[in-house]
Amino acid sequence: MSGHNVCHHDMPMGFFYNNSNITSDEWDQKQLILVQVVGSICCCFILVANAMIIAAVVTNRRFHYPFYYLLANLAASDFLAGIAYIYLMFNTGKISRDLTVQAYFFRQGLLDASLSASLTNLLVIALERYISIMSFKVHSNLTKRRVTLLIALVWGISIFMGAVPSLGWNCICSLDLCSKLAPIFSRSYLIFWSMSNLVLFLIMVAIYLRIYFYVMKKTVILKDHTSSSINRKRTPIKLIKTVMTVLGAFVICWTPGLVVLLLDGLKCDRCEVLKFKRWLLLLAVLNSVMNPIIYSYRDDEMWSTIRKLLRCVRSGTRHQRSSKANIQREPTSSLKESTGEDSRVSTQEMLKT
């Protein structure tokens, strides 16, 4: 009765961990330090690599099309995921028990928002590819205004989904409904979250399979008529393969986590969901590491643009170093000149006397 009527907003997270019978923090000190060091390196790569993807789309005019704008937005969601992983790594273990309810909502909200942004971006890209490929065009006719509205809609949905538990769909006032993986999240919310994402996975896979078979059918028809058309139409196929690779990596890395969340929501006591927690986090980080590699590997133009940006950064760094060196040399040279002038003046005075 008290669990239904009394809310515990002011209690630390240790209270909710104990309520969910989570007695171990899973990480000892050595494991936590190792995870933080390796994770920080991976997250730095995620931040830098995705920032380079966004910069490549902005600076190269050949990427000023709806598909690449949406791809840059997908890189922005991975950038947010890198920030969320850093925040999570340094607020986990024993520190988790000392967090306030608001801090825990913020920590999990960052992760949920980044996942929602990635998933919604992939869905929007799938629809954009479907519209363009069904007319067998490389790029769709979406205007920049519509693409901007789509991007704003993606982030609006993502922020809302990340904030849903803190807006009331939690178990702070109903402790018997709390889950184990997220001790202040309701099991019903985990069921909704995992099922909705898995359904979206199936929808996107169906869309891309439909696109792929359509393109392959059109390619066979064109091959019988002219070889020049085939060469001209290979770019849509490359873009489809790029996105399908990204989607495949996303599904492989996130499906196990969503299944475990679903089992936790269904209160599967035999499943021992806590044992898989650290490996699921590792898979999530691995997905954000893989995405920028896939973009640059599958797209030669993207990789060449990134290399040019890296050269500009290096040349800019060298220029700054050389300018600093010149600034340091100038006072020395001016001192030598003034010393030489003083010696000449003194010599003339001696001759006069």
Side-chain angles (χ1 to χ4, degrees), residues 198-268:
L198 289 172
V199 169
L200 285 179
F201 282 176
L202 293 175
I203 292 173
M204 285 189 289
V205 169
I207 291 174
Y208 280 113
L209 287 176
R210 172 78 176 92
I211 293 173
Y212 184 77
F213 288 127
Y214 177 82
V215 171
M216 295 305 294
K217 182 180 178 181
K218 283 288 185 180
T219 304
V220 171
I221 295 173
L222 287 171
K223 193 182 292 184
D224 296 333
H225 290 80
T226 174
S227 60
S228 61
S229 297
I230 289 294
N231 293 330
R232 192 173 65 252
K233 300 300 183 181
R234 278 181 181 172
T235 306
I237 301 174
K238 287 185 66 176
L239 295 182
I240 292 169
K241 288 183 177 179
T242 299
V243 183
M244 287 183 70
T245 306
V246 173
L247 178 61
F250 192 85
V251 171
I252 292 171
C253 291
W254 281 101
T255 299
L258 293 175
V259 171
V260 171
L261 283 175
L262 180 60
L263 294 174
D264 188 20
L266 295 174
K267 203 176 180 180
C268 179

Side-chain angles (χ1 to χ4, degrees), residues 313-327:
V313 172
R314 290 176 184 174
S315 62
T317 306
R318 290 175 182 174
H319 180 71
Q320 288 179 353
R321 289 178 182 175
S322 61
S323 61
K324 287 181 180 179
N326 291 332
I327 291 172

Side-chain angles (χ1 to χ4, degrees), residues 25-253:
D25 294 305
E26 296 189 52
W27 303 101
D28 58 32
Q29 194 63 25
K30 291 182 179 179
Q31 286 178 335
L32 186 60
I33 293 173
L34 179 63
V35 167
Q36 288 175 345
V37 171
V38 176
S40 297
I41 295 172
C42 292
C43 288
C44 287
F45 175 80
I46 291 171
L47 296 176
V48 173
N50 285 287
M52 295 298 291
I53 295 293
I54 296 170
V57 173
V58 172
T59 56
N60 193 337
R61 291 185 178 180
R62 295 181 182 179
F63 295 146
H64 291 183
Y65 292 99
F67 170 79
Y68 287 104
Y69 290 142
L70 296 173
L71 197 67
N73 198 40
L74 184 60
S77 64
D78 283 326
F79 188 91
L80 176 63
I83 296 173
Y85 297 143
I86 292 174
Y87 188 82
L88 173 64
M89 282 186 299
F90 290 95
N91 289 277
T92 191
K94 294 181 180 179
I95 299 176
S96 298
R97 294 178 174 271
D98 299 327
L99 292 176
T100 62
V101 170
Q102 291 75 19
Y104 188 87
F105 276 137
F106 179 75
R107 191 188 79 174
Q108 297 303 121
L110 279 177
L111 286 173
D112 293 347
S114 63
L115 173 61
S116 297
S118 298
L119 191 58
T120 313
N121 265 306
L122 285 171
L123 180 60
V124 172
I125 292 174
L127 296 175
E128 189 273 342
R129 287 292 85 199
Y130 186 83
I131 294 171
S132 60
I133 297 302
M134 284 302 134
S135 56
F136 216 72
K137 293 180 179 179
V138 178
H139 299 289
S140 63
N141 294 325
L142 289 173
T143 62
K144 289 186 178 180
R145 182 180 178 182
R146 290 182 178 178
V147 173
T148 304
L149 290 175
L150 283 174
I151 292 173
L153 180 63
V154 164
W155 285 105
I157 294 173
S158 305
I159 293 171
F160 175 75
M161 291 299 294
V164 164
S166 62
L167 296 176
W169 200 345
N170 54 61
C171 63
I172 294 176
C173 301
S174 303
L175 297 180
D176 56 330
L177 301 178
C178 292
S179 62
K180 287 187 176 181
L181 289 173
I184 57 176
F185 284 21
S186 298
R187 291 194 302 272
S188 59
Y189 174 74
L190 294 188
I191 295 173
F192 161 76
W193 174 260
S194 56
M195 285 299 297
S196 59
N197 288 333
L198 289 172
V199 169
L200 285 179
F201 282 176
L202 293 175
I203 292 173
M204 285 189 289
V205 169
I207 291 174
Y208 280 113
L209 287 176
R210 172 78 176 92
I211 293 173
Y212 184 77
F213 288 127
Y214 177 82
V215 171
M216 295 305 294
K217 182 180 178 181
K218 283 288 185 180
T219 304
V220 171
I221 295 173
L222 287 171
K223 193 182 292 184
D224 296 333
H225 290 80
T226 174
S227 60
S228 61
S229 297
I230 289 294
N231 293 330
R232 192 173 65 252
K233 300 300 183 181
R234 278 181 181 172
T235 306
I237 301 174
K238 287 185 66 176
L239 295 182
I240 292 169
K241 288 183 177 179
T242 299
V243 183
M244 287 183 70
T245 306
V246 173
L247 178 61
F250 192 85
V251 171
I252 292 171
C253 291

Side-chain angles (χ1 to χ4, degrees), residues 260-312:
V260 171
L261 283 175
L262 180 60
L263 294 174
D264 188 20
L266 295 174
K267 203 176 180 180
C268 179
D269 296 328
R270 298 179 181 178
C271 300
E272 298 182 355
V273 293
L274 292 175
K275 288 186 177 180
F276 303 100
K277 190 174 182 179
R278 64 182 70 182
W279 304 111
L280 299 178
L281 177 61
L282 180 63
L283 270 177
V285 175
L286 181 62
N287 178 242
S288 296
V289 171
M290 289 170 60
N291 281 345
I293 298 174
I294 294 171
Y295 305 151
S296 56
Y297 175 75
R298 299 294 306 183
D299 196 322
D300 296 334
E301 183 70 23
M302 180 70 72
W303 175 235
S304 63
T305 305
I306 291 174
R307 282 189 299 178
K308 289 178 183 178
L309 289 172
L310 291 173
R311 288 172 187 169
C312 290

